Amino acid sequence: MVATASPYFVHPTALCESDSVGDGTRIWAFAHVLQGAVVGKNCNIGDHAFVEGGATLGNGVILKNGVMVWDGVSIEDYVFVGPGVVFTNDRYPRSRHLPEAAERMRNAESWLIRTTVQTGASIGAGAVILCGITIGRYAMIAAGALVTRDVPDHTLVKGHPASLAGYVCRCGFSQYPLNSCQSCGWTPRADNHQPRGVEAVLS
């Protein structure tokens, strides 16, 4: 029997227990992908990243070093997640060994809160994403932001808690108000995007 090369790359010091990893994906040093995680094609999972069983990554996702992606987090195609980003999946976390919390913690459906990052979004270094929210298509989260609520498509948010700071086109340039991009040629009409006033977004 002739051994065939793996269609994806796992660094010798990384641990990939998932049997659902797409072609062309690269998993770098000391990263850990648990059984039950789903990873798409052509992803890049950086050093010391952790992807828990039940998490899903679409195609072309970039996880930089030290990113933590937990069960219940769904990351769609072509999302960029900067170094040190942390997701969450429980609004009322307790040790499952605490007697008063043991019953609730026994069934994931009683505590697991799902989060979605939609296609093309970017999350800056060190951001914290609280569970139960949706980050919209091509949205951009500033470095160090604390995201506590839904982020609409094409919006730039920053701060603690994160609030509207502007708009971004598909290629990532910040614009306020949102207009046609001189770099990539994208227009708001291309995504049927209707810019809203500051008071209507994240208020």
Side-chain angles (χ1 to χ4, degrees), residues 9-24:
F9 168 79
V10 179
H11 190 276
T13 63
L15 179 57
C16 180
E17 300 171 301
S18 174
D19 55 6
S20 184
V21 178
D23 294 359

Side-chain angles (χ1 to χ4, degrees), residues 3-156:
T4 57
S6 172
Y8 56 90
F9 168 79
V10 179
H11 190 276
T13 63
L15 179 57
C16 180
E17 300 171 301
S18 174
D19 55 6
S20 184
V21 178
D23 294 359
T25 285
R26 296 173 295 173
I27 301 172
W28 293 102
F30 305 106
H32 191 175
V33 180
L34 267 61
Q35 179 67 34
V38 176
V39 180
K41 298 178 180 179
N42 300 316
C43 295
N44 192 82
I45 298 176
D47 292 14
H48 297 279
F50 180 82
V51 183
E52 191 171 36
T56 62
L57 309 183
N59 298 323
V61 171
I62 304 296
L63 298 186
K64 302 303 283 185
N65 297 0
V67 173
M68 305 294 170
V69 184
W70 307 108
D71 183 10
V73 176
S74 177
I75 298 177
E76 296 181 358
D77 296 346
Y78 310 116
V79 167
F80 173 89
V81 184
V85 167
V86 176
F87 291 90
T88 60
N89 64 4
D90 187 353
R91 289 198 179 106
Y92 309 103
R94 290 293 194 200
S95 167
R96 65 182 65 254
H97 301 295
L98 179 70
E100 294 84 353
E103 185 61 32
R104 181 176 73 89
M105 299 303 295
R106 188 172 292 116
N107 179 6
E109 293 307 313
S110 69
W111 61 265
L112 182 66
I113 306 296
R114 300 184 184 278
T115 297
T116 300
V117 184
Q118 295 183 330
T119 298
S122 293
I123 303 176
V128 176
I129 313 300
L130 297 192
C131 56
I133 67 172
T134 297
I135 295 174
R137 297 175 305 155
Y138 307 102
M140 186 168 289
I141 311 302
L146 173 61
V147 184
T148 62
R149 62 186 82 180
D150 289 353
V151 178
D153 296 351
H154 291 284
T155 53
L156 167 66

Side-chain angles (χ1 to χ4, degrees), residues 156-178:
L156 167 66
V157 300
K158 64 181 181 179
H160 293 77
S163 60
L164 179 70
Y167 295 101
V168 289
C169 68
R170 282 196 178 190
C171 73
F173 280 111
S174 178
Q175 302 184 30
Y176 192 84
L178 185 63

